[in-house]
Amino acid sequence: MLDPIAQATPWSVLLDHFPCGVVIVDGSHRICQLNPEAARLLGDEPDGLIGSLFPWPFVPGESTEHDLPGTDGPHRIEVSAARPAHGTPPYQVLLLRDSTGLHARIERLELANDRFKALIRATPLPMLSVDRALEITFWSRAAEREFGWREEDVLGRPLQSLGDGVGSGLGELLAASLEGEPHEGVALSGWHDRHGQPLDLKVWSVPLKHRNGRIRGALAITMNTTHERHNREHLHHLVTHDPLTDLPNRTLFHDRLQQLLLRAPANGPPRIAVLRFALDRFKVVNASFGHAVGDVLLCEVAQRLRDTLYSSDTLARTGGDEFTILVGQLTRSQDCAAIAARLLQTLAHPFRADGSEIFLSASIGIAVWPYDGPDADHLLTHADSALRLAKEQGGNSWQFHTHELHDRARARLELESDLRRALDRGELHLHYQPQVDLATDRIIGVEALLRWDHPRLGAVPPDHFIPVAEQCGLIDEIGQWVLNTACQQTAAWHTAGLPLRVAVNLSPRQFHSGRLIDAVATALEASGLAPQWLELELTEGLLLQHEGSAQLEPLKQMGVRLVIDDFGTGYASFAYLRRFAIDGIKIDRSFIQAIDSDSGSAAITRALLSIAEAMGLDLTAEGVEEHSQLERLRRWGCPVVQGYLFSRPVLAAEIPAMARSVGPVAADR
Ligand code: C2E
Ligand code: CA
């Protein structure tokens, strides 16, 4: 029965080179045949072994292991006994394999595997892997902890499906690793955990390969670096803020000032001011109440200052008792005076600390860019010298670095506070300037013009104080007073048998508050004047503003007359006059005053006269000073004139006599 194997040359060649030992034993376990590998494993020559008893017992169909001493130490031989086919002669084929190395390898692998698992379990760094389709194949415990998703929730899911923006950056890195590119320590932001908390990550990603080198996926190890950003931000905050008040410190202030100067346009109105604010005699407070109280006071001062300023201004603590304020977007340098006054005002009511009331005051030095220096250093130095000056003057005051600015600002601020009292003190009154109908040469109406008799400055012209009233919000109150007074006066003339019309000037600002319509109604109602006797003089610009023009219709409904003042100096067109049902226009006095000398002005005046007539608009020529001007206007058919030639604006008491006189009214007055 040996023959078929022994004689089949290919089989014997195969057996000679077979990497496994093959032994054939007979029914009494004697070796009949064996290949060279089997002889090597059994430690003898094949010839010496043939006929000898196979050294170990075996069970067909099973594998057993046996130790065999060798020159290089004990070997472990695995013997697998083939299960004899039914009916075959009682020969048994045994396969022998040296399993010594195999065990060691398996042990090493198991050890490595254990180590790897322990490492993954122990590391706080979240790890995950994906397959070629970017579907998650592994999700470590740390990943569960850090990102919030559990392994069973994410396995098999595409990474991108974890949420908006969550997978994207990491997905791109892993996709690149699937192309074979490892990435080390790439910083990713815009990550969120499962609860939407933003995370910064550092990621290491590597391709995962089959033994044949084909890439089967990619593995990412990540590190949550969010706290590093928080630390950086915290550190930056510490470096740029004052620890006591949490206000920006000198460094940050300087930085912001420089940024603002960089962006400031080279010309135009002043836009930037630096205010140095220092508490007066704060050392005394510290010495008397102690530093703890001093600190509480400083925090309270900081709070009051902060509440006074716009959020776009920078308030910094730049010294023990010193704050510095950066104001951007100034339109006029005088505005800083108002800010400085407000800042001082915040200290007006006493502070409570340590059971007592403490009164504080401060001094402020102001430097305005570009007058007081081209750069941050100059501005700060000049604000300092202005501060010194303010202190020298006894404190509780502010001072500009430039005297001229200082004087202008102070005058302006004083004017503002005087104006606030002017109404109460009866310093405002109205003058009336007659308007003459050229068809009859009689006064048909008057224009009410506001006058302010300032106790110290004398007569302040309306051109000076109306803009102040507009800016400090007094215009509504003053406007109401003008309307009331003019209507009352006119109603009194009516009672006295003088049916005059009164024209009242309105500033565009009066249309802003939304109280104008009520103001007009109140004036008419209180005086009993019928609305057609009241004429409102509007500016051309108002017709172009939606907010203002929207209020013309209700005024019109009320029955008052609307005329456009200084016509020809703005941009309004005749189409606007029609759209807003305007009753008349007043040709600006600059045209009238030039009609003798300038053919252009003459032509415009004539053109306006004929258009007004064609459109059925009333027309008044203002500023008539000369007989020659009057003659031309009369010749050209001008209906109404007003000007010094007839009368300057006068007190109400003078009007009745003028109105009753017939003829070329007081052309010689
Ligand atoms: P305006 O509306 O153009 O008023 C006419 C101005 O021209 C008045 O100056 C008047 O005195 C002056 N004037 C009149 N006739 C002549 C003349 O023949 N020659 C010259 N050179 N000037 C003449 P006033 O009173 O100083 O008013 C100036 C401006 O102040 C007014 O200009 C008006 O815009 C404003 N204003 C006056 N009163 C009020 C008021 O009650 N409310 C408002 N919002 N503005 C007023
Ligand atoms: Ca006017």
Side-chain angles (χ1 to χ4, degrees):
M1 282 310 290
L2 283 179
D3 289 352
I5 299 169
Q7 285 163 14
T9 315
W11 278 105
S12 61
V13 171
L14 175 73
L15 282 175
D16 281 353
H17 294 92
F18 203 54
C20 243
V22 181
V23 180
I24 297 173
V25 294
D26 62 15
S28 47
H29 292 196
R30 281 191 189 281
I31 297 173
C32 311
Q33 185 80 336
L34 77 173
N35 71 350
E37 175 63 6
R40 193 186 66 76
L41 289 173
L42 293 172
D44 205 344
E45 291 303 314
D47 290 348
L49 287 163
I50 299 271
S52 66
L53 212 53
F54 188 72
W56 304 297
F58 55 80
V59 182
E62 288 184 13
S63 296
T64 47
E65 283 187 325
H66 309 277
D67 288 328
L68 192 71
T71 48
D72 55 347
H75 278 245
R76 176 151 275 229
I77 308 294
E78 185 191 62
V79 179
S80 304
R83 191 184 295 279
H86 185 69
T88 50
Y91 291 106
Q92 176 74 51
V93 179
L94 302 170
L95 285 177
L96 272 57
R97 208 157 47 143
D98 188 339
S99 63
T100 323
L102 185 68
H103 273 276
R105 270 208 308 281
I106 289 173
E107 254 170 45
R108 271 205 307 279
L109 271 177
E110 277 174 356
L111 195 68
N113 198 24
D114 285 351
R115 267 203 220 115
F116 183 63
K117 278 187 184 157
L119 187 75
I120 288 184
R121 217 175 303 119
T123 179
L125 302 181
M127 294 185 201
L128 61 134
S129 69
V130 291
D131 62 13
R132 297 188 58 82
L134 280 177
E135 287 178 357
I136 297 167
T137 50
F138 168 69
W139 189 257
S140 74
R141 284 278 156 78
E144 288 188 338
R145 278 195 302 273
E146 198 80 79
F147 304 142
W149 287 278
R150 295 179 57 77
E151 184 180 25
E152 56 263 36
D153 300 334
V154 296
L155 283 189
R157 271 174 66 178
L159 184 63
Q160 320 294 64
S161 75
L162 288 189
D164 231 12
V166 172
S168 54
L170 187 63
E172 278 164 27
L173 272 189
L174 287 169
S177 291
L178 289 174
E179 300 296 319
E181 278 178 56
H183 286 280
E184 284 187 15
V186 178
L188 289 182
S189 57
W191 254 68
H192 304 275
D193 68 7
R194 187 183 176 184
H195 311 292
Q197 280 296 323
L199 297 176
D200 291 347
L201 290 184
K202 213 168 202 184
V203 181
W204 289 259
S205 79
V206 284
L208 295 173
K209 294 180 180 170
H210 285 291
R211 287 181 68 181
N212 62 9
R214 216 170 67 85
I215 293 173
R216 62 184 169 86
L219 173 91
I221 303 175
T222 67
M223 186 192 268
N224 181 352
T225 55
T226 318
H227 64 283
E228 282 180 19
R229 179 164 50 86
H230 288 166
N231 286 350
R232 264 199 316 275
E233 286 168 358
H234 183 60
L235 206 68
H236 184 256
H237 189 88
L238 286 183
V239 174
T240 53
H241 286 75
D242 162 48
L244 178 66
T245 57
D246 204 35
L247 288 177
N249 64 12
R250 192 181 289 273
T251 314
L252 183 55
F253 182 89
H254 210 270
D255 205 44
R256 294 222 180 132
L257 175 56
Q258 256 162 348
Q259 293 296 325
L260 210 58
L261 288 170
L262 272 179
R263 279 181 282 140
N267 37 39
R271 272 167 218 278
I272 299 167
V274 173
L275 283 75
R276 275 268 205 243
F277 174 107
L279 291 166
D280 297 330
R281 292 170 290 278
F282 195 65
K283 280 195 188 73
V284 180
V285 174
N286 261 338
S288 335
F289 294 93
H291 284 274
V293 170
D295 284 356
V296 172
L297 289 175
L298 284 170
C299 289
E300 172 78 27
V301 169
Q303 188 57 46
R304 289 193 192 179
L305 296 182
R306 202 173 357 214
D307 292 346
T308 314
L309 295 164
Y310 288 133
S311 57
S312 55
D313 302 334
T314 297
L315 168 67
R317 181 163 176 238
T318 46
D321 57 1
E322 183 192 283
F323 298 84
T324 309
I325 295 129
L326 173 59
V327 181
Q329 293 171 338
L330 273 183
T331 41
R332 293 160 315 141
S333 52
Q334 292 100 305
D335 290 346
C336 325
I339 296 172
R342 264 201 334 263
L343 293 174
L344 293 183
Q345 187 60 29
T346 61
L347 306 182
H349 51 274
F351 293 76
R352 293 213 133 267
D354 207 19
S356 33
E357 279 196 338
I358 300 172
F359 290 85
L360 293 179
S361 66
S363 305
I364 301 176
I366 307 169
V368 180
W369 181 84
Y371 304 114
D372 298 327
D375 54 32
D377 289 337
H378 279 89
L379 288 173
L380 288 166
T381 314
H382 289 155
D384 276 340
S385 55
L387 172 64
R388 255 196 318 279
L389 207 63
K391 286 207 173 235
E392 279 163 20
Q393 286 166 356
N396 198 23
S397 70
W398 45 266
Q399 184 72 43
F400 275 85
H401 176 252
T402 304
H403 292 298
E404 187 201 327
L405 288 185
H406 183 81
D407 296 344
R408 226 191 300 157
R410 186 163 288 279
R412 153 85 202 208
L413 215 62
E414 276 169 11
L415 202 66
E416 195 177 306
S417 70
D418 289 350
L419 190 56
R420 283 182 196 280
R421 283 184 293 255
L423 264 178
D424 300 337
R425 292 184 182 169
E427 291 166 13
L428 294 184
H429 57 267
L430 290 181
H431 274 189
Y432 298 89
Q433 187 175 33
Q435 295 176 333
V436 178
D437 180 348
L438 289 187
T440 59
D441 279 342
R442 298 194 69 137
I443 295 175
I444 54 156
V446 291
E447 177 178 1
L449 292 159
L450 191 55
R451 297 289 176 261
W452 180 14
D453 285 324
H454 191 280
R456 195 164 36 81
L457 302 172
V460 183
D463 290 339
H464 276 52
F465 71 85
I466 293 224
V468 176
E470 286 177 337
Q471 276 148 19
C472 69
L474 277 172
I475 191 68
D476 282 336
E477 210 181 319
I478 291 178
Q480 175 81 73
W481 180 86
V482 171
L483 280 164
N484 289 345
T485 311
C487 288
Q488 232 134 39
Q489 179 58 64
T490 310
W493 285 324
H494 284 207
T495 311
L498 289 174
L500 296 177
R501 197 166 73 190
V502 69
V504 170
N505 290 283
L506 293 183
S507 128
R509 281 287 174 107
Q510 288 175 264
F511 286 83
H512 284 185
S513 67
R515 280 184 289 176
L516 179 68
I517 294 165
D518 276 351
V520 173
T522 307
L524 290 172
E525 207 176 292
S527 61
L529 185 71
Q532 68 271 22
W533 299 101
L534 175 63
E535 191 166 83
L536 302 176
E537 294 194 0
L538 320 166
T539 60
E540 275 181 89
L542 187 84
L543 301 186
L544 308 177
Q545 298 165 10
H546 174 72
E547 195 192 9
S549 60
Q551 295 174 53
L552 296 181
E553 181 56 29
L555 287 172
K556 196 81 216 142
Q557 297 278 324
M558 226 183 264
V560 299
R561 290 166 49 81
L562 304 177
V563 306
I564 304 302
D565 208 359
D566 307 329
F567 194 82
T569 54
Y571 300 98
S573 68
F574 285 97
Y576 280 100
L577 300 185
R578 196 179 286 287
R579 173 162 356 138
F580 297 112
I582 296 299
D583 297 285
I585 57 175
K586 293 182 82 176
I587 305 183
D588 189 62
R589 65 171 180 271
S590 58
F591 296 112
I592 305 304
Q593 284 172 357
I595 49 173
D596 284 337
S597 54
D598 172 37
S599 58
S601 295
I604 289 172
T605 307
R606 289 191 77 168
L608 288 178
L609 279 163
S610 54
I611 295 172
E613 191 187 357
M615 288 179 70
L617 290 169
D618 287 337
L619 184 143
T620 305
E622 282 194 279
V624 180
E625 292 180 356
E626 308 290 339
H627 282 286
S628 56
Q629 294 162 349
L630 175 64
E631 284 325 307
R632 270 177 205 266
L633 289 166
R634 209 188 272 281
R635 229 182 308 129
W636 294 339
C638 176
V640 180
V641 290
Q642 176 184 346
Y644 291 172
L645 181 64
F646 300 93
S647 169
R648 290 189 172 259
V650 294
L651 288 170
E654 295 186 42
I655 294 292
M658 284 189 218
R660 289 203 175 97
S661 66
V662 189
V665 197
D668 301 321
R669 264 170 216 268

